[in-house]
Every structure is written in structure tokens, then in C-alpha cells.
């Protein structure tokens, strides 16, 4: 018996038809490739805090106080380390859009398409009757900035006084005649003003004119809530429907592996897309969710996980128990606080936890599906997965299963193997042979609530003649 290793550290690649794929994965769901090149199961979601109602929740960590604030159904809450909440709403958040947060010296400021709201840790108030209706707010050098909704302008408050807005303190982003749909300030003190057709960078000036335009990028941002700073640059979805790394005037696409999927998403479906960063086990990720995009399972809601360092993608899904099918990943926002990764659900804040591998009490299905491997007649007389075992309890053993498609004809029956009770040391599971053909595609799946790491896939291959 001679084992031939199959490379599982290669990336997800969805830019060609599945049958054309020869050297990458066609599916990696609810998992990511770690630094060792293994497939590691993505953490599950456990309840951290329950809020009133069942509307989407958007948590935010105040960097100075480390308090967590959250918006849900136009109301603003403060949540402590134990998950207890206090309703701070006196002036509700209006506009109906996705909340965008920023911080001044002594308060948080929130915009969602209507009146800008401020909160100093007590009750919320309308920031100023003179401030514009805005979808985005940002803060730099004691100056609060906001876009004027449905216009090509952005405005700013007085220096050191976020509640005073002079109607003349307005800038027109005019490199292209489009509306300003996003504004952000990077840690490099860059002010980015974006629209569907262009991105402009402004820098600070001393004196009566506080900003000047430094450069422009000849492409816009189709998803206004996709802008996130990470790895020394801004990542976002541009007007070409590419996920790009934007640094100065250089726009580097990093979504080539999934470009065909992203380009098929309509401009309207991109409007509610969002992206945020977080860290797991020392690896930095960006979560890109397009909640209105079509999925390969016939539903709505694509969620991608992007490994910043290695530029690799995978998918995250929830589960519909009635249809026994993957569903949209049940998260609307992500923030890191209280030494946790917190995620806003519907009427609830979840914590990503490596202790549980269910999503909000629903199954989390981890799968890996290889390319079509091989190009000449062979017989596969045995296969094995090398895994981390002993993930069950002292009385139960979770199950992993694998199947194979030969020459793209049909999938074999699932072959199931137990993952071992607590303390089991065996690190390889044999799944038997899958017959003779020119190319093979393997798929593994696990639904049970347990940690699992797939370290390798090997096949016992013998060349044959027809």
C-alpha cells in the first residue's frame, strides 16, 4: 500500500465550473485553513446577551471605556461584561439604515440615515438640529464629519464642538458626479470620501479650511458598508464588484478566487453588504456578508470569510432545520470586546466560542469538497483522513462522513466513521476504496457539535489500463 497525499492546504476557488477544477477546493464551509495547512472548524455561536425584540443587533465597542453599545430596532443599549443591558434610548435612532459608529472625546456618535445621535453613556440625544441627515460619521482631530444623505457633499462640525454645524462648512466630493455614500477616517489620518463612482482622500489642514483633497481613485465603492481598515490598508468592494485592498491610489483586487460569484451579484443586492474584522487563534479575518445575494442552495445570504494574511476564502452558513439545508449565517455585525468576539444576531448578541460548534442552537455543518483530482485511469483502493480525534465525551462519539464522485458521474454513498470519545489518540480514519476512474472528487462532512481539525487526506492509488 502506497499512500498518495492530496494537498488540502490549497485555497477555495469558485471562479470556474466545478468540473474544470483540478487543483483547489470547490467548497470550504464553516471552516478555515490554519497556519499548519489544516482545515479547522469555525467556532460556533453561543448567547452572550438577549435584548428586547427580534430585530438585527449591531454591537460596537467604545475604545476608551471598553463598554459595548448596541443598536437594535432604533434603540441604543449598553451591555456589560456579563451580558446585562441598559436601555439608553431617549432619542431613537432614525433613518432605517445600518448604524455607523464613531467616537468623539467624550461620547459615541451614531448615524443610520436620519438624525445623528450622540450618547455620553447616559441617555441618547439628537446631536444637533443643524447636522445633516447622514448614513456615515467619522472623527478626526476634534472635528466630526458626516455625509449629507443623497447628495455629493459632506459636512463637518466646528472644531472641538460636535454640536455646532455651520451650513457653510460643506465640501463637495466632485471628482465624479455621484453621491457621497460612505465616509471613514483611517488610523493613518486619511479621510476617505466614497461614492458609487469614485473615492477621494482628504487630509487635514491647519487654518480656516480644515481639509484638502489629496488624491482620487478612478473607481467607486458599490457596497457603502464594506469599508474596513486592516493590514495597513482599507478593504472594500469597488464599483467593479471586486473585493480590493485600497492603499493610497493603488487598488489591488484580492477576490480573484471568487470573482465569478461576486460579479453575478446585482448592484441592488450589494447595498446592504457589510464587512468587519476579527481575530481567531492568532489569525486575522474579514467577514464579508451579502445578505441579499443568492446562494448555491437556493436561499438568500452569502457570507465569506477572508484570511487576511494568506488571502484565502471560505464560506460561513447557518442551518435551516425545516428544510435540512444551509441558510444565511445568523450574524449582522461583529465586534471584539471583553476579550471575546461578539456578533449581533436578531434580538441577541452571540459570542464566537471554541467550546460549542452549533450556531444559535442550530447545527453547524462543516464541509470540505476537493477539486476533480487525477488525469489518467487509476484505482483508489483505500482513502484516509488524518484528523485530531478524541473530541467526543466519555460516553458518545461524534461522526464524520466522506463520499466520492468518480468521473463526475454521481456521488457514492456516505461512509461514516466515529471521531472517538474523550482521550482517543488514533489520528487516522480509513474510509475504504471508491473504485476506478480517471478523476475523483472527495467531500467530507460533519454536523455533530464537536471540535475537529482535518490535517490531511491520502489515497491509495494504483494505475490501471482500460
Amino acid at each position: 500500500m502506497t499512500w498518495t497525499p492530496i494537498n488540502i492546504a490549497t485555497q477555495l476557488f469558485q471562479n470556474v465550473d466545478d468540473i474544470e477544477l483540478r487543483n483547489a477546493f470547490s467548497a470550504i464551509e464553516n471552516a478555515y485553513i490554519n497556519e499548519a495547512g489544516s482545515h479547522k472548524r469555525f467556532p460556533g455561536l453561543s448567547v452572550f446577551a438577549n435584548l428586547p425584540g427580534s430585530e438585527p443587533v449591531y454591537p460596537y465597542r467604545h475604545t476608551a471605556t471598553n463598554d459595548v453599545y448596541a443598536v437594535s430596532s432604533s434603540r441604543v443599549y449598553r451591555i456589560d461584561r456579563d451580558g446585562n443591558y441598559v436601555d439608553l434610548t431617549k432619542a431613537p435612532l432614525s433613518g432605517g439604515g445600518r448604524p455607523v459608529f464613531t467616537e468623539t472625546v467624550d461620547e459615541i456618535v451614531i448615524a443610520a440615515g436620519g438624525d445623528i445621535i450622540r450618547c455620553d453613556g447616559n441617555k441618547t440625544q439628537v446631536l444637533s438640529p443643524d447636522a445633516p441627515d447622514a448614513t456615515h460619521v467619522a472623527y478626526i482631530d476634534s472635528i466630526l464629519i458626516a455625509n449629507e444623505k443623497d447628495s455629493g457633499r459632506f459636512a463637518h462640525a466646528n472644531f472641538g464642538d460636535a454640536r455646532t454645524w455651520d451650513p457653510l462648512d460643506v465640501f463637495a466630493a466632485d471628482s465624479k458626479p455621484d453621491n457621497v455614500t460612505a465616509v471613514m477616517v483611517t488610523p493613518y489620518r486619511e479621510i476617505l470620501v466614497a461614492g458609487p463612482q469614485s473615492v477621494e482622500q482628504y487630509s487635514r489642514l491647519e487654518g480656516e479650511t480644515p481639509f484638502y483633497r489629496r488624491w482620487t481613485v478612478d473607481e467607486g465603492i458599490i457596497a457603502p458598508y464594506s469599508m474596513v481598515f486592516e493590514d495597513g490598508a482599507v478593504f472594500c468592494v469597488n464599483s467593479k464588484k471586486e473585493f480590493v485592498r485600497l492603499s493610497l491610489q493603488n487598488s489591488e483586487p484580492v477576490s480573484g478566487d471568487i470573482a465569478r460569484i461576486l460579479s453575478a451579484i446585482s448592484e441592488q443586492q450589494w447595498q446592504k453588504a457589510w464587512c468587519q474584522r476579527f481575530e481567531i487563534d492568532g489569525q486575522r479575518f474579514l467577514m464579508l456578508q451579502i445578505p441579499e445575494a443568492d446562494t448555491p442552495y437556493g436561499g438568500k445570504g452569502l457570507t465569506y470569510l477572508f484570511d487576511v494574511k494568506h488571502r484565502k476564502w471560505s464560506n460561513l452558513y447557518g442551518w435551516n432545520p425545516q428544510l435540512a439545508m444551509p441558510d444565511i449565517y445568523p450574524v449582522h455585525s461583529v465586534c471584539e470586546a471583553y476579550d471575546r468576539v461578539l456578533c449581533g444576531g436578531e434580538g441577541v448578541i452571540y459570542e464566537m466560542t471554541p467550546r460549542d460548534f452549533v450556531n444559535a442552537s442550530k447545527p453547524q455543518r462543516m464541509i470540505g469538497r476537493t477539486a476533480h483530482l487525477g488525469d489518467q485511469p487509476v484505482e483508489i483502493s483505500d482513502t484516509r483522513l488524518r484528523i485530531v480525534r478524541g473530541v467526543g465525551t466519555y460516553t458518545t462519539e461524534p461522526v464524520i462522513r466522506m463520499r466520492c464522485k468518480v468521473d463526475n458521474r454521481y456521488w457514492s454513498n456516505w461512509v461514516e466513521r466515529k471521531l472517538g470519545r474523550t482521550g482517543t489518540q488514533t489520528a487516522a480514519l480509513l474510509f475504504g476504496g471508491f473504485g476506478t476512474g480517471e478523476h475523483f472528487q472527495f467531500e467530507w462532512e460533519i454536523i455533530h457539535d464537536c471540535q475537529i481539525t482535518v490535517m490531511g487526506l491520502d489515497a491509495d492509488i494504483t494505475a490501471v489500463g482500460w
Side-chain angles (χ1 to χ4, degrees):
M1 177 178 290
T2 302
W3 290 110
T4 299
I6 296 169
N7 183 13
I8 68 168
T10 186
Q11 76 273 22
L12 174 71
F13 194 82
Q14 297 179 333
N15 215 27
V16 298
D17 291 336
D18 191 82
I19 184 58
E20 300 176 64
L21 201 60
R22 287 293 183 268
N23 59 357
F25 269 75
S26 68
I28 303 174
E29 296 178 9
N30 294 324
Y32 61 94
I33 300 175
N34 66 12
E35 299 279 4
S38 303
H39 286 230
K40 191 171 181 66
R41 195 172 195 181
F42 193 73
L45 300 171
S46 61
V47 174
F48 173 74
N50 284 298
L51 299 181
S54 58
E55 294 299 309
V57 179
Y58 305 92
Y60 172 81
R61 181 181 71 90
H62 192 293
T63 56
T65 66
N66 204 37
D67 291 329
V68 172
Y69 293 84
V71 170
S72 180
S73 190
S74 300
R75 306 193 70 82
V76 178
Y77 302 89
R78 185 176 62 241
I79 297 96
D80 66 18
R81 184 177 288 271
D82 297 318
N84 304 307
Y85 70 87
V86 177
D87 191 338
L88 306 177
T89 310
K90 180 178 180 181
L93 187 66
S94 62
R98 182 181 180 86
V100 174
F101 300 80
T102 193
E103 301 171 21
T104 66
V105 174
D106 53 5
E107 58 194 7
I108 65 167
V109 179
I110 316 170
D115 289 331
I116 302 172
I117 297 299
R118 69 179 184 88
C119 182
D120 59 2
N122 296 306
K123 294 296 183 179
T124 60
Q125 298 181 26
V126 173
L127 178 69
S128 169
D130 299 320
D133 287 352
T135 62
H136 286 69
V137 285
Y139 187 73
I140 182 173
D141 292 353
S142 299
I143 301 176
L144 186 65
I145 305 167
N147 68 321
E148 291 189 358
K149 185 182 177 183
D150 299 327
S151 84
R153 300 179 298 273
F154 67 98
H156 66 87
N158 283 2
F159 182 87
D161 184 3
R163 301 174 202 176
T164 302
W165 296 71
D166 189 321
L168 297 179
D169 289 337
V170 175
F171 284 74
D174 55 5
S175 64
K176 288 286 183 69
D178 58 346
N179 290 339
V180 174
T181 55
V183 176
M184 75 175 296
V185 173
T186 75
Y188 294 156
R189 294 168 43 81
E190 303 165 322
I191 305 166
L192 297 185
V193 180
Q197 300 179 51
S198 64
V199 179
E200 300 181 350
Q201 190 229 53
Y202 288 76
S203 296
R204 280 281 285 122
L205 273 177
E206 301 298 329
E208 298 205 4
T209 302
F211 314 116
Y212 74 98
R213 189 173 63 196
R214 188 174 180 184
W215 50 254
T216 64
V217 177
D218 192 26
E219 61 185 39
I221 293 180
I222 197 171
Y225 301 102
S226 67
M227 297 175 70
V228 59
F229 186 88
E230 180 59 38
D231 192 36
V234 172
F235 289 83
C236 57
V237 181
N238 69 8
S239 51
K240 301 174 186 176
K241 303 180 184 178
E242 300 169 320
F243 192 65
V244 297
R245 183 182 187 273
L246 185 62
S247 180
L248 298 177
Q249 291 179 281
N250 299 316
S251 177
E252 174 197 358
V254 294
S255 58
D257 293 345
I258 58 171
R260 189 170 71 160
I261 303 297
L262 299 190
S263 64
I265 299 171
S266 72
E267 182 175 345
Q268 185 61 37
Q269 289 174 322
W270 275 113
Q271 297 309 300
K272 293 185 179 180
W274 57 272
C275 183
Q276 289 177 314
R277 64 91 61 196
F278 60 96
E279 188 172 306
I280 297 175
D281 289 340
Q283 286 186 243
R284 292 172 295 152
F285 294 98
L286 300 179
M287 185 184 296
L288 173 65
Q289 185 178 85
I290 313 101
E292 296 184 350
D294 299 322
T295 75
Y297 299 102
K300 292 285 187 180
L302 278 176
T303 305
Y304 278 101
L305 187 68
F306 179 64
D307 181 337
V308 175
K309 180 179 179 181
H310 300 100
R311 302 291 197 263
K312 292 182 179 180
W313 295 88
S314 58
N315 282 108
L316 300 178
Y317 284 104
W319 188 256
N320 185 323
Q322 285 74 37
L323 299 176
M325 292 283 287
D327 203 353
I328 186 171
Y329 187 62
V331 162
H332 297 275
S333 185
V334 178
C335 82
E336 295 175 293
Y338 302 142
D339 301 317
R340 299 174 168 98
V341 179
L342 301 181
C343 305
E346 295 181 353
V348 65
I349 297 177
Y350 299 115
E351 174 188 354
M352 284 186 191
T353 168
R355 300 180 301 274
D356 303 302
F357 293 89
V358 294
N359 290 335
S361 302
K362 295 180 181 178
Q364 183 209 70
R365 186 184 75 150
M366 171 186 172
I367 72 168
R369 186 184 310 127
T370 70
H372 293 262
L373 306 168
D375 56 5
Q376 60 182 357
V378 297
E379 179 186 2
I380 295 186
S381 55
D382 205 352
T383 53
R384 70 179 181 186
L385 281 177
R386 289 178 283 115
I387 61 172
V388 175
R389 296 194 68 198
V391 295
T393 68
Y394 287 108
T395 58
T396 62
E397 297 183 73
V399 170
I400 187 172
R401 57 186 191 170
M402 189 166 74
R403 61 182 181 174
C404 180
K405 183 187 287 187
V406 180
D407 292 340
N408 201 37
R409 292 195 298 267
Y410 50 83
W411 286 106
S412 70
N413 294 327
W414 287 106
V415 179
E416 295 188 349
R417 295 290 182 264
K418 293 183 178 181
L419 289 171
R421 299 186 180 123
T422 298
T424 304
Q425 298 298 315
T426 304
L429 294 175
L430 300 179
F431 289 84
F434 290 102
T436 302
E438 292 188 359
H439 54 85
F440 296 78
Q441 185 178 32
F442 299 97
E443 181 179 79
W444 61 76
E445 173 187 82
I446 180 167
I447 299 181
H448 289 90
D449 179 9
C450 67
Q451 181 177 347
I452 181 171
T453 302
V454 177
M455 299 182 294
L457 170 62
D458 305 305
D460 183 18
I461 298 175
T462 304
V464 298
W466 295 119

